[in-house]
Amino acid sequence: MIAIIDYGAGNLRSVSRAVALYTPDFVVTQDPADVERAAAVILPGVGAAGDTIRGLERHGMTEVVQETIASGKPYFGICMGLQVLLTESEEDGGTPCLDIYPGVVRRFPKGLTVPHMGWNQVRQTQEHPMFAGIPDDAYFYFVHSYYTDPEDTALTAGATDYGVTFPSVIAQENVFATQFHPEKSAGMGLRLYENFVAWATGARPGVARGVRVGP
């Protein structure tokens, strides 16, 4: 089972519809016990860092997300599901995050239009099964005013340019997280969900439910 975490925010309907294309075995949940039982976890997110952390704490999800990542289960973080992995965010006057990876979530520099909104390219900087069938420099849809700045640059699996070059994908072992929204990114975004289901279940892309989207 794949658990999609509902902490009171996030593009849950679009995410669940994307996952449902490739497997019926998922649950949208506010129950930490479901996350503990799941074989893989998706943490989508929109909004502010402070609201996200408070929502996770309110539903008892903070520790279970940390434990999920430590356990080695596949984890797919989206937008705020990426940013909360770092130590802290500059948003809301400074917000402590989950501190999975040392680093800071920074606001885009002055002079840039924020939020960074619309289609932009992702340059792949390391190989990963989640990139199967996705060409380098493919376009994905972004909506964000802050970007991750991890201390360990080896975490960067995809990079995007918007005034600065920032990690639009980070990956390490069982963690894969994107700053962009795959559920808003047409065929390439759906391919990421297909690849995550395959990664989580051990299936080949295109096998789950016999559905294939993307090249």
Side-chain angles (χ1 to χ4, degrees):
M1 179 186 71
I2 295 173
I4 302 172
I5 295 177
D6 174 8
Y7 57 88
N11 197 14
L12 294 169
R13 182 175 180 182
S14 295
V15 171
S16 59
R17 287 176 63 185
V19 172
L21 288 171
Y22 307 108
T23 180
D25 192 15
F26 72 93
V27 61
V28 178
T29 184
Q30 295 184 334
D31 186 349
D34 287 335
V35 180
E36 291 174 350
R37 288 192 294 267
V41 173
I42 298 174
L43 179 58
V46 296
D51 290 340
T52 299
I53 293 298
R54 285 188 292 272
L56 291 171
E57 290 174 345
R58 183 167 59 252
H59 295 289
M61 290 291 188
T62 302
E63 290 186 3
V64 77
V65 170
Q66 294 168 325
E67 291 167 359
T68 291
I69 292 172
S71 74
K73 295 178 183 179
Y75 170 93
F76 190 6
I78 300 164
C79 195
M80 286 307 305
L82 162 61
Q83 293 186 9
V84 297
L85 298 178
L86 270 62
T87 304
E88 61 180 334
S89 173
E90 293 180 345
E91 195 169 11
D92 297 326
T95 300
C97 296
L98 299 182
D99 199 23
I100 305 295
Y101 304 118
V104 178
V105 181
R106 304 190 186 280
R107 185 172 173 84
F108 280 112
K110 291 182 178 179
L112 294 175
T113 299
V114 293
H116 169 216
M117 180 181 296
W119 296 87
N120 206 336
Q121 291 175 288
V122 174
R123 182 175 67 257
Q124 298 173 22
T125 59
Q126 61 173 276
E127 293 183 358
H128 197 281
M130 287 285 284
F131 284 138
I134 297 175
D136 195 14
D137 290 325
Y139 281 85
F140 294 90
Y141 193 83
F142 291 80
V143 185
H144 63 122
S145 300
Y146 294 77
Y147 66 94
T148 56
D149 184 15
E151 290 182 9
D152 183 2
T153 58
L155 288 171
T156 301
T160 295
D161 298 318
Y162 185 70
V164 296
T165 299
F166 66 91
S168 48
V169 183
I170 68 169
Q172 186 180 70
E173 298 175 346
N174 56 307
V175 172
F176 187 93
T178 68
Q179 184 59 70
F180 55 84
H181 287 268
E183 68 279 1
K184 297 181 180 180
S185 299
M188 290 295 96
L190 291 179
R191 185 60 190 262
L192 277 176
Y193 284 107
E194 178 187 12
N195 290 343
F196 183 72
V197 171
W199 184 29
T201 63
R204 297 192 311 278
V207 172
R209 299 195 70 179
V211 179
R212 181 79 176 259
V213 176

